[in-house]
Amino acid sequence: MSDSCGKSDEELTEEFIRLQLELRDKLVVCDTEDWALDMNKLELIGGLDISYDKSDSSRGCVTCVVLNAKNDFEIVYKNNTFIEPINRYIAGFLAFREISFLVKEYDTLKQNGSQFMPQVWLIDGNGVLHPRKFGLASHFGVLVDSAVIGVAKNPYYLNFVDQSVKDDHKRQKLSLGKVGDQFPITNSSDEVIGVALKTSSDCKNPVYVSIGHKVSLNTAITVVLKCCKYRVPEPVRQADIISRQLINQ
DNA sequence: GCGACAG
DNA sequence: ATCTTGTCGC
């Protein structure tokens, strides 16, 4: 099965892996922004998400929003673009399905509403919580050279670990009591590549937060908690609601 | 070979 | 991502 220039899955993933590793050299996994040292300076936070048409795989809608964290997360910028998805989703390579559309939204914002350029982006997907430590959030961060945080709803990394680690994860999930409770997620090299974070008192499932680009993990956690009225942080939640509503009408 | 698989 | 309603609880 192939869908990109007649290349086989093997050829495609080989190419994708090369690009992930190449771009990863530019990844910054510590705080570089002034607001990270003084969270009172954090005001504009961006969110991006893409929804797809359930009955027509050639239709999608990408929504870009910027919220004001200092004004109850009011939406100060919003742009929607209907898209024609080119590549199908391959686990571990989400960026190659979505990245071009996200970068286009970034460029549109820069051109039409640069005064709303967010200080940090929240992306629906993983950053370094990824088999090659370079998920969609990191990919986007490097390409647009901005601070980015990855927020995933499912623990994709669990597909690459032993049953014993899965059991541990299940136990640790049950130990999460209140909002802000968390436990680290470690890779086979004992590096902490993400965290399971409880963001809602009445939801049993945590979200999986990881460094995208130009933020530390601690800063990423602080920002996500700051943005949560519900389980999913507002910037991503709003982008998801809006894009889904538009693709279905 | 079989099943699992961020969105 | 998407297929899918009601229902229990605050």
Side-chain angles (χ1 to χ4, degrees), chain A residues 30-94:
Chain A
C30 61
D31 291 319
T32 66
E33 313 300 301
D34 61 337
W35 56 259
L37 291 174
D38 179 6
M39 212 56 78
N40 290 320
K41 290 181 178 171
L42 179 56
E43 189 162 357
L44 298 180
I45 306 181
L48 284 162
D49 193 45
I50 302 179
S51 289
Y52 299 92
D53 189 324
K54 54 189 175 189
S55 58
D56 183 354
S57 61
S58 74
R59 291 184 68 243
C61 178
V62 52
T63 293
C64 173
V65 291
V66 179
L67 313 194
N68 187 339
K70 292 224 175 282
N71 190 19
D72 198 32
F73 295 96
E74 174 198 14
I75 297 176
V76 296
Y77 172 92
K78 174 175 66 176
N79 190 65
N80 308 294
T81 307
F82 285 93
I83 59 166
E84 190 165 328
I86 301 163
N87 302 313
R88 62 188 176 78
Y89 168 67
I90 302 174
F93 305 95
L94 174 62

Short mmCIF file of all heavy atoms in Angstrom, two decimals, chain A residues 30-94:
data_model
loop_
_atom_site.label_atom_id
_atom_site.label_comp_id
_atom_site.label_asym_id
_atom_site.label_seq_id
_atom_site.Cartn_x
_atom_site.Cartn_y
_atom_site.Cartn_z
N CYS A 30 14.80 23.06 27.04
CA CYS A 30 14.80 23.83 28.29
C CYS A 30 14.09 25.15 28.05
O CYS A 30 13.78 25.50 26.91
CB CYS A 30 16.23 24.05 28.78
SG CYS A 30 17.24 24.96 27.62
N ASP A 31 13.83 25.90 29.13
CA ASP A 31 13.14 27.18 29.01
C ASP A 31 14.04 28.22 28.34
O ASP A 31 15.21 28.37 28.70
CB ASP A 31 12.74 27.69 30.40
CG ASP A 31 11.65 26.82 31.02
OD1 ASP A 31 10.72 26.43 30.29
OD2 ASP A 31 11.73 26.54 32.23
N THR A 32 13.48 28.90 27.35
CA THR A 32 14.24 29.97 26.70
C THR A 32 13.45 31.28 26.74
O THR A 32 13.96 32.32 26.33
CB THR A 32 14.51 29.65 25.21
OG1 THR A 32 13.26 29.64 24.51
CG2 THR A 32 15.20 28.31 25.06
N GLU A 33 12.21 31.21 27.21
CA GLU A 33 11.33 32.38 27.15
C GLU A 33 11.26 33.09 28.50
O GLU A 33 11.30 32.45 29.55
CB GLU A 33 9.91 31.94 26.75
CG GLU A 33 9.86 31.00 25.55
CD GLU A 33 10.46 31.61 24.29
OE1 GLU A 33 9.97 32.66 23.86
OE2 GLU A 33 11.43 31.04 23.76
N ASP A 34 11.13 34.40 28.46
CA ASP A 34 11.12 35.19 29.70
C ASP A 34 9.93 34.87 30.59
O ASP A 34 10.05 34.84 31.82
CB ASP A 34 11.16 36.69 29.39
CG ASP A 34 9.96 37.15 28.57
OD1 ASP A 34 9.33 36.29 27.89
OD2 ASP A 34 9.63 38.34 28.63
N TRP A 35 8.79 34.55 29.98
CA TRP A 35 7.59 34.26 30.79
C TRP A 35 7.75 33.00 31.63
O TRP A 35 7.07 32.81 32.63
CB TRP A 35 6.34 34.15 29.90
CG TRP A 35 6.44 33.15 28.79
CD1 TRP A 35 6.70 33.42 27.48
CD2 TRP A 35 6.27 31.74 28.88
NE1 TRP A 35 6.70 32.24 26.76
CE2 TRP A 35 6.45 31.20 27.59
CE3 TRP A 35 5.98 30.87 29.93
CZ2 TRP A 35 6.36 29.84 27.32
CZ3 TRP A 35 5.88 29.51 29.67
CH2 TRP A 35 6.08 29.01 28.38
N ALA A 36 8.67 32.11 31.22
CA ALA A 36 8.85 30.87 31.98
C ALA A 36 9.41 31.16 33.38
O ALA A 36 9.17 30.40 34.32
CB ALA A 36 9.78 29.94 31.22
N LEU A 37 10.13 32.27 33.50
CA LEU A 37 10.70 32.64 34.80
C LEU A 37 9.72 33.47 35.61
O LEU A 37 9.79 33.51 36.83
CB LEU A 37 11.99 33.46 34.59
CG LEU A 37 13.16 32.67 34.03
CD1 LEU A 37 14.33 33.60 33.73
CD2 LEU A 37 13.58 31.59 35.03
N ASP A 38 8.79 34.13 34.91
CA ASP A 38 7.78 34.94 35.59
C ASP A 38 6.45 34.70 34.89
O ASP A 38 6.11 35.37 33.91
CB ASP A 38 8.16 36.42 35.50
CG ASP A 38 7.11 37.30 36.16
OD1 ASP A 38 6.16 36.76 36.77
OD2 ASP A 38 7.24 38.54 36.06
N MET A 39 5.71 33.72 35.42
CA MET A 39 4.48 33.29 34.76
C MET A 39 3.45 34.42 34.65
O MET A 39 2.50 34.30 33.87
CB MET A 39 3.89 32.10 35.53
CG MET A 39 3.15 31.07 34.69
SD MET A 39 4.06 30.34 33.32
CE MET A 39 5.09 29.16 34.16
N ASN A 40 3.64 35.52 35.40
CA ASN A 40 2.72 36.65 35.26
C ASN A 40 2.84 37.31 33.89
O ASN A 40 1.97 38.06 33.47
CB ASN A 40 3.01 37.70 36.34
CG ASN A 40 2.62 37.20 37.73
OD1 ASN A 40 1.58 36.55 37.89
ND2 ASN A 40 3.47 37.45 38.70
N LYS A 41 3.94 37.00 33.22
CA LYS A 41 4.15 37.59 31.89
C LYS A 41 3.50 36.76 30.78
O LYS A 41 3.56 37.12 29.61
CB LYS A 41 5.65 37.71 31.60
CG LYS A 41 6.38 38.75 32.44
CD LYS A 41 7.85 38.80 32.04
CE LYS A 41 8.59 39.87 32.84
NZ LYS A 41 10.05 39.79 32.63
N LEU A 42 2.89 35.63 31.19
CA LEU A 42 2.28 34.76 30.17
C LEU A 42 0.83 35.17 29.94
O LEU A 42 0.00 35.13 30.85
CB LEU A 42 2.34 33.29 30.61
CG LEU A 42 1.71 32.28 29.64
CD1 LEU A 42 2.34 32.40 28.26
CD2 LEU A 42 1.86 30.87 30.17
N GLU A 43 0.55 35.59 28.72
CA GLU A 43 -0.78 36.09 28.41
C GLU A 43 -1.39 35.38 27.20
O GLU A 43 -2.49 34.85 27.28
CB GLU A 43 -0.68 37.60 28.13
CG GLU A 43 -2.01 38.29 28.00
CD GLU A 43 -1.90 39.80 28.16
OE1 GLU A 43 -0.78 40.30 28.43
OE2 GLU A 43 -2.93 40.48 28.00
N LEU A 44 -0.68 35.33 26.09
CA LEU A 44 -1.23 34.75 24.87
C LEU A 44 -0.76 33.31 24.66
O LEU A 44 0.43 33.02 24.61
CB LEU A 44 -0.82 35.60 23.65
CG LEU A 44 -1.32 37.05 23.67
CD1 LEU A 44 -0.85 37.79 22.42
CD2 LEU A 44 -2.85 37.09 23.77
N ILE A 45 -1.75 32.40 24.57
CA ILE A 45 -1.46 30.99 24.38
C ILE A 45 -2.21 30.48 23.16
O ILE A 45 -3.42 30.70 23.02
CB ILE A 45 -1.86 30.18 25.64
CG1 ILE A 45 -1.18 30.79 26.89
CG2 ILE A 45 -1.48 28.71 25.47
CD1 ILE A 45 -1.49 30.07 28.18
N GLY A 46 -1.51 29.80 22.29
CA GLY A 46 -2.11 29.33 21.04
C GLY A 46 -2.54 27.87 21.11
O GLY A 46 -2.01 27.08 21.89
N GLY A 47 -3.53 27.54 20.31
CA GLY A 47 -4.01 26.15 20.21
C GLY A 47 -4.28 25.81 18.76
O GLY A 47 -4.76 26.65 17.99
N LEU A 48 -3.95 24.59 18.38
CA LEU A 48 -4.17 24.14 17.00
C LEU A 48 -4.78 22.75 17.02
O LEU A 48 -4.40 21.91 17.83
CB LEU A 48 -2.83 24.07 16.24
CG LEU A 48 -2.21 25.39 15.80
CD1 LEU A 48 -0.73 25.20 15.47
CD2 LEU A 48 -2.95 25.92 14.57
N ASP A 49 -5.72 22.51 16.13
CA ASP A 49 -6.27 21.15 16.02
C ASP A 49 -6.89 20.95 14.64
O ASP A 49 -7.34 21.90 14.01
CB ASP A 49 -7.32 20.88 17.10
CG ASP A 49 -7.65 19.40 17.21
OD1 ASP A 49 -6.72 18.58 17.21
OD2 ASP A 49 -8.85 19.04 17.27
N ILE A 50 -6.93 19.72 14.21
CA ILE A 50 -7.54 19.38 12.91
C ILE A 50 -8.63 18.34 13.13
O ILE A 50 -8.42 17.36 13.85
CB ILE A 50 -6.48 18.82 11.93
CG1 ILE A 50 -5.35 19.83 11.73
CG2 ILE A 50 -7.14 18.46 10.60
CD1 ILE A 50 -4.25 19.35 10.78
N SER A 51 -9.80 18.57 12.53
CA SER A 51 -10.87 17.58 12.55
C SER A 51 -11.08 17.07 11.13
O SER A 51 -10.85 17.81 10.16
CB SER A 51 -12.18 18.20 13.08
OG SER A 51 -12.07 18.45 14.46
N TYR A 52 -11.50 15.81 11.03
CA TYR A 52 -11.68 15.20 9.71
C TYR A 52 -13.13 14.80 9.51
O TYR A 52 -13.86 14.50 10.46
CB TYR A 52 -10.78 13.97 9.60
CG TYR A 52 -9.31 14.31 9.73
CD1 TYR A 52 -8.67 14.27 10.98
CD2 TYR A 52 -8.57 14.73 8.63
CE1 TYR A 52 -7.33 14.61 11.11
CE2 TYR A 52 -7.23 15.06 8.75
CZ TYR A 52 -6.61 15.00 9.99
OH TYR A 52 -5.30 15.34 10.11
N ASP A 53 -13.55 14.80 8.24
CA ASP A 53 -14.92 14.41 7.90
C ASP A 53 -15.04 12.89 8.02
O ASP A 53 -14.29 12.15 7.38
CB ASP A 53 -15.22 14.85 6.47
CG ASP A 53 -16.69 14.68 6.13
OD1 ASP A 53 -17.30 13.68 6.60
OD2 ASP A 53 -17.23 15.53 5.41
N LYS A 54 -16.00 12.47 8.84
CA LYS A 54 -16.15 11.03 9.07
C LYS A 54 -16.48 10.26 7.81
O LYS A 54 -16.08 9.11 7.65
CB LYS A 54 -17.25 10.80 10.11
CG LYS A 54 -18.57 11.46 9.76
CD LYS A 54 -19.56 11.39 10.92
CE LYS A 54 -20.82 12.18 10.59
NZ LYS A 54 -21.71 12.29 11.77
N SER A 55 -17.21 10.91 6.88
CA SER A 55 -17.65 10.16 5.69
C SER A 55 -16.91 10.58 4.41
O SER A 55 -17.19 10.07 3.34
CB SER A 55 -19.16 10.35 5.50
OG SER A 55 -19.45 11.73 5.38
N ASP A 56 -15.97 11.50 4.54
CA ASP A 56 -15.23 11.93 3.35
C ASP A 56 -13.79 12.25 3.75
O ASP A 56 -13.48 13.34 4.23
CB ASP A 56 -15.91 13.17 2.75
CG ASP A 56 -15.21 13.64 1.47
OD1 ASP A 56 -14.15 13.08 1.12
OD2 ASP A 56 -15.73 14.58 0.84
N SER A 57 -12.91 11.28 3.53
CA SER A 57 -11.52 11.42 3.99
C SER A 57 -10.76 12.53 3.27
O SER A 57 -9.63 12.82 3.61
CB SER A 57 -10.79 10.09 3.83
OG SER A 57 -10.78 9.73 2.46
N SER A 58 -11.39 13.13 2.25
CA SER A 58 -10.69 14.19 1.53
C SER A 58 -11.01 15.57 2.12
O SER A 58 -10.59 16.59 1.59
CB SER A 58 -11.07 14.17 0.05
OG SER A 58 -12.39 14.66 -0.12
N ARG A 59 -11.79 15.56 3.22
CA ARG A 59 -12.15 16.85 3.85
C ARG A 59 -11.66 16.92 5.29
O ARG A 59 -11.83 15.98 6.07
CB ARG A 59 -13.67 17.04 3.86
CG ARG A 59 -14.28 17.28 2.49
CD ARG A 59 -15.77 17.56 2.62
NE ARG A 59 -16.05 18.82 3.26
CZ ARG A 59 -16.69 18.97 4.42
NH1 ARG A 59 -17.14 17.91 5.06
NH2 ARG A 59 -16.90 20.16 4.94
N GLY A 60 -11.07 18.07 5.62
CA GLY A 60 -10.65 18.31 6.98
C GLY A 60 -10.75 19.79 7.29
O GLY A 60 -10.95 20.60 6.38
N CYS A 61 -10.65 20.14 8.56
CA CYS A 61 -10.69 21.56 8.93
C CYS A 61 -9.68 21.80 10.03
O CYS A 61 -9.69 21.12 11.06
CB CYS A 61 -12.09 21.95 9.41
SG CYS A 61 -12.19 23.70 9.94
N VAL A 62 -8.77 22.73 9.79
CA VAL A 62 -7.78 23.09 10.81
C VAL A 62 -8.19 24.40 11.44
O VAL A 62 -8.61 25.35 10.75
CB VAL A 62 -6.36 23.18 10.20
CG1 VAL A 62 -6.32 24.08 9.00
CG2 VAL A 62 -5.38 23.65 11.27
N THR A 63 -8.15 24.44 12.76
CA THR A 63 -8.50 25.65 13.50
C THR A 63 -7.32 26.10 14.35
O THR A 63 -6.70 25.29 15.04
CB THR A 63 -9.72 25.41 14.40
OG1 THR A 63 -10.88 25.20 13.58
CG2 THR A 63 -9.98 26.62 15.31
N CYS A 64 -7.04 27.39 14.24
CA CYS A 64 -5.98 28.01 15.02
C CYS A 64 -6.60 29.07 15.91
O CYS A 64 -7.33 29.94 15.44
CB CYS A 64 -4.97 28.66 14.07
SG CYS A 64 -3.69 29.65 14.90
N VAL A 65 -6.39 28.96 17.21
CA VAL A 65 -6.92 29.97 18.13
C VAL A 65 -5.80 30.50 19.02
O VAL A 65 -4.81 29.80 19.27
CB VAL A 65 -8.04 29.41 19.04
CG1 VAL A 65 -9.30 29.11 18.24
CG2 VAL A 65 -7.57 28.19 19.80
N VAL A 66 -5.98 31.73 19.46
CA VAL A 66 -5.09 32.30 20.47
C VAL A 66 -5.98 32.79 21.59
O VAL A 66 -6.96 33.51 21.34
CB VAL A 66 -4.23 33.45 19.91
CG1 VAL A 66 -3.33 34.01 21.01
CG2 VAL A 66 -3.40 32.99 18.72
N LEU A 67 -5.68 32.38 22.82
CA LEU A 67 -6.49 32.75 23.97
C LEU A 67 -5.69 33.67 24.89
O LEU A 67 -4.47 33.57 24.96
CB LEU A 67 -6.94 31.51 24.76
CG LEU A 67 -7.52 30.31 24.02
CD1 LEU A 67 -8.20 29.37 25.00
CD2 LEU A 67 -8.48 30.71 22.94
N ASN A 68 -6.43 34.52 25.60
CA ASN A 68 -5.80 35.41 26.57
C ASN A 68 -5.94 34.81 27.96
O ASN A 68 -7.01 34.83 28.56
CB ASN A 68 -6.46 36.79 26.51
CG ASN A 68 -5.73 37.79 27.38
OD1 ASN A 68 -4.99 37.42 28.30
ND2 ASN A 68 -5.91 39.07 27.09
N ALA A 69 -4.84 34.30 28.48
CA ALA A 69 -4.85 33.65 29.80
C ALA A 69 -5.15 34.65 30.91
O ALA A 69 -5.54 34.25 32.01
CB ALA A 69 -3.51 32.96 30.05
N LYS A 70 -4.98 35.91 30.64
CA LYS A 70 -5.22 36.93 31.66
C LYS A 70 -6.65 37.44 31.65
O LYS A 70 -7.03 38.31 32.43
CB LYS A 70 -4.26 38.12 31.46
CG LYS A 70 -2.82 37.78 31.75
CD LYS A 70 -2.17 38.88 32.57
CE LYS A 70 -0.76 38.52 32.98
NZ LYS A 70 -0.73 37.58 34.09
N ASN A 71 -7.45 36.90 30.71
CA ASN A 71 -8.84 37.34 30.64
C ASN A 71 -9.74 36.12 30.46
O ASN A 71 -10.51 36.03 29.50
CB ASN A 71 -9.02 38.34 29.48
CG ASN A 71 -10.39 38.99 29.52
OD1 ASN A 71 -11.07 38.99 30.55
ND2 ASN A 71 -10.82 39.53 28.38
N ASP A 72 -9.61 35.18 31.39
CA ASP A 72 -10.45 33.98 31.42
C ASP A 72 -10.40 33.19 30.12
O ASP A 72 -11.38 32.58 29.71
CB ASP A 72 -11.91 34.36 31.75
CG ASP A 72 -12.69 33.15 32.21
OD1 ASP A 72 -12.10 32.25 32.85
OD2 ASP A 72 -13.90 33.08 31.92
N PHE A 73 -9.25 33.25 29.46
CA PHE A 73 -9.03 32.47 28.22
C PHE A 73 -10.00 32.85 27.11
O PHE A 73 -10.48 32.00 26.36
CB PHE A 73 -9.06 30.97 28.51
CG PHE A 73 -7.93 30.54 29.41
CD1 PHE A 73 -8.13 30.43 30.79
CD2 PHE A 73 -6.67 30.31 28.90
CE1 PHE A 73 -7.08 30.07 31.63
CE2 PHE A 73 -5.61 29.95 29.74
CZ PHE A 73 -5.82 29.83 31.10
N GLU A 74 -10.27 34.13 27.03
CA GLU A 74 -11.07 34.65 25.92
C GLU A 74 -10.30 34.42 24.62
O GLU A 74 -9.08 34.57 24.58
CB GLU A 74 -11.33 36.16 26.12
CG GLU A 74 -12.04 36.82 24.97
CD GLU A 74 -11.90 38.34 24.98
OE1 GLU A 74 -11.04 38.86 25.72
OE2 GLU A 74 -12.64 38.99 24.24
N ILE A 75 -11.05 34.06 23.56
CA ILE A 75 -10.42 33.88 22.25
C ILE A 75 -10.17 35.25 21.63
O ILE A 75 -11.10 36.01 21.40
CB ILE A 75 -11.31 33.02 21.33
CG1 ILE A 75 -11.48 31.62 21.92
CG2 ILE A 75 -10.72 32.94 19.92
CD1 ILE A 75 -12.43 30.71 21.13
N VAL A 76 -8.90 35.57 21.37
CA VAL A 76 -8.57 36.87 20.79
C VAL A 76 -8.22 36.77 19.31
O VAL A 76 -8.12 37.78 18.60
CB VAL A 76 -7.39 37.55 21.55
CG1 VAL A 76 -7.80 37.84 22.98
CG2 VAL A 76 -6.14 36.67 21.51
N TYR A 77 -8.00 35.53 18.86
CA TYR A 77 -7.72 35.31 17.43
C TYR A 77 -8.24 33.94 17.05
O TYR A 77 -8.13 32.99 17.83
CB TYR A 77 -6.22 35.38 17.14
CG TYR A 77 -5.83 34.97 15.74
CD1 TYR A 77 -5.73 35.91 14.72
CD2 TYR A 77 -5.55 33.63 15.43
CE1 TYR A 77 -5.38 35.53 13.42
CE2 TYR A 77 -5.20 33.24 14.13
CZ TYR A 77 -5.12 34.19 13.15
OH TYR A 77 -4.77 33.81 11.87
N LYS A 78 -8.84 33.86 15.87
CA LYS A 78 -9.36 32.56 15.41
C LYS A 78 -9.29 32.50 13.90
O LYS A 78 -9.66 33.46 13.22
CB LYS A 78 -10.81 32.38 15.87
CG LYS A 78 -11.49 31.14 15.32
CD LYS A 78 -12.88 30.93 15.91
CE LYS A 78 -13.83 32.03 15.48
NZ LYS A 78 -15.21 31.80 15.95
N ASN A 79 -8.78 31.41 13.38
CA ASN A 79 -8.77 31.22 11.92
C ASN A 79 -9.05 29.76 11.60
O ASN A 79 -8.49 28.86 12.22
CB ASN A 79 -7.42 31.62 11.33
CG ASN A 79 -7.46 31.66 9.82
OD1 ASN A 79 -8.16 32.48 9.22
ND2 ASN A 79 -6.73 30.75 9.18
N ASN A 80 -9.96 29.56 10.64
CA ASN A 80 -10.31 28.19 10.23
C ASN A 80 -10.00 28.03 8.76
O ASN A 80 -10.27 28.92 7.96
CB ASN A 80 -11.80 27.93 10.45
CG ASN A 80 -12.24 28.29 11.87
OD1 ASN A 80 -11.83 27.66 12.83
ND2 ASN A 80 -13.07 29.33 11.98
N THR A 81 -9.45 26.88 8.40
CA THR A 81 -9.15 26.60 7.00
C THR A 81 -9.57 25.18 6.67
O THR A 81 -9.18 24.24 7.36
CB THR A 81 -7.62 26.75 6.74
OG1 THR A 81 -7.17 28.02 7.21
CG2 THR A 81 -7.33 26.61 5.27
N PHE A 82 -10.38 25.08 5.61
CA PHE A 82 -10.73 23.73 5.16
C PHE A 82 -9.56 23.20 4.35
O PHE A 82 -8.99 23.93 3.54
CB PHE A 82 -12.02 23.77 4.33
CG PHE A 82 -13.24 23.94 5.18
CD1 PHE A 82 -13.76 25.21 5.43
CD2 PHE A 82 -13.83 22.83 5.79
CE1 PHE A 82 -14.87 25.36 6.27
CE2 PHE A 82 -14.94 22.99 6.61
CZ PHE A 82 -15.45 24.25 6.86
N ILE A 83 -9.24 21.94 4.60
CA ILE A 83 -8.06 21.36 3.97
C ILE A 83 -8.40 20.05 3.28
O ILE A 83 -9.45 19.46 3.52
CB ILE A 83 -6.96 21.08 5.02
CG1 ILE A 83 -7.49 20.11 6.09
CG2 ILE A 83 -6.49 22.38 5.65
CD1 ILE A 83 -6.43 19.52 6.97
N GLU A 84 -7.49 19.62 2.44
CA GLU A 84 -7.62 18.32 1.79
C GLU A 84 -6.44 17.47 2.27
O GLU A 84 -5.32 17.65 1.80
CB GLU A 84 -7.59 18.49 0.27
CG GLU A 84 -7.95 17.21 -0.46
CD GLU A 84 -8.28 17.48 -1.93
OE1 GLU A 84 -8.79 18.56 -2.26
OE2 GLU A 84 -8.01 16.58 -2.74
N PRO A 85 -6.71 16.60 3.24
CA PRO A 85 -5.63 15.78 3.80
C PRO A 85 -4.93 15.01 2.67
O PRO A 85 -5.59 14.44 1.80
CB PRO A 85 -6.35 14.83 4.74
CG PRO A 85 -7.62 15.54 5.09
CD PRO A 85 -8.00 16.29 3.86
N ILE A 86 -3.62 15.04 2.68
CA ILE A 86 -2.84 14.39 1.63
C ILE A 86 -2.36 13.01 2.07
O ILE A 86 -2.52 12.03 1.36
CB ILE A 86 -1.61 15.25 1.26
CG1 ILE A 86 -2.05 16.64 0.79
CG2 ILE A 86 -0.79 14.56 0.18
CD1 ILE A 86 -0.96 17.66 0.80
N ASN A 87 -1.79 12.96 3.25
CA ASN A 87 -1.21 11.71 3.74
C ASN A 87 -2.08 11.07 4.81
O ASN A 87 -2.67 11.75 5.64
CB ASN A 87 0.18 11.98 4.29
CG ASN A 87 1.09 12.60 3.25
OD1 ASN A 87 1.15 12.13 2.13
ND2 ASN A 87 1.79 13.66 3.63
N ARG A 88 -2.09 9.76 4.82
CA ARG A 88 -2.85 9.07 5.86
C ARG A 88 -2.02 9.05 7.14
O ARG A 88 -0.82 9.34 7.13
CB ARG A 88 -3.16 7.65 5.43
CG ARG A 88 -1.94 6.80 5.18
CD ARG A 88 -2.33 5.46 4.57
NE ARG A 88 -1.16 4.68 4.24
CZ ARG A 88 -0.44 4.01 5.13
NH1 ARG A 88 -0.78 4.06 6.43
NH2 ARG A 88 0.62 3.32 4.77
N TYR A 89 -2.67 8.70 8.21
CA TYR A 89 -2.00 8.66 9.51
C TYR A 89 -1.21 7.37 9.67
O TYR A 89 -1.72 6.28 9.45
CB TYR A 89 -3.03 8.77 10.63
CG TYR A 89 -2.50 8.45 12.00
CD1 TYR A 89 -1.56 9.29 12.60
CD2 TYR A 89 -2.91 7.31 12.68
CE1 TYR A 89 -1.05 8.99 13.85
CE2 TYR A 89 -2.41 7.02 13.94
CZ TYR A 89 -1.48 7.86 14.51
OH TYR A 89 -0.98 7.57 15.75
N ILE A 90 0.06 7.50 10.06
CA ILE A 90 0.87 6.34 10.41
C ILE A 90 1.35 6.57 11.84
O ILE A 90 1.95 7.63 12.12
CB ILE A 90 2.08 6.19 9.47
CG1 ILE A 90 1.63 6.07 8.02
CG2 ILE A 90 2.93 5.00 9.88
CD1 ILE A 90 2.77 6.07 7.00
N ALA A 91 1.06 5.65 12.74
CA ALA A 91 1.44 5.82 14.14
C ALA A 91 2.93 6.08 14.24
O ALA A 91 3.75 5.37 13.64
CB ALA A 91 1.06 4.57 14.93
N GLY A 92 3.29 7.12 15.00
CA GLY A 92 4.69 7.49 15.15
C GLY A 92 5.11 8.58 14.17
O GLY A 92 6.18 9.17 14.29
N PHE A 93 4.20 8.84 13.21
CA PHE A 93 4.51 9.82 12.17
C PHE A 93 3.34 10.77 11.93
O PHE A 93 3.09 11.17 10.79
CB PHE A 93 4.90 9.09 10.87
CG PHE A 93 6.03 8.12 11.06
CD1 PHE A 93 5.77 6.76 11.29
CD2 PHE A 93 7.34 8.56 11.05
CE1 PHE A 93 6.83 5.87 11.49
CE2 PHE A 93 8.39 7.67 11.26
CZ PHE A 93 8.14 6.32 11.47
N LEU A 94 2.64 11.09 12.98
CA LEU A 94 1.48 12.00 12.86
C LEU A 94 1.86 13.31 12.19
O LEU A 94 1.08 13.88 11.43
CB LEU A 94 0.91 12.27 14.26
CG LEU A 94 -0.22 13.30 14.33
CD1 LEU A 94 -1.42 12.84 13.51
CD2 LEU A 94 -0.63 13.54 15.78
#
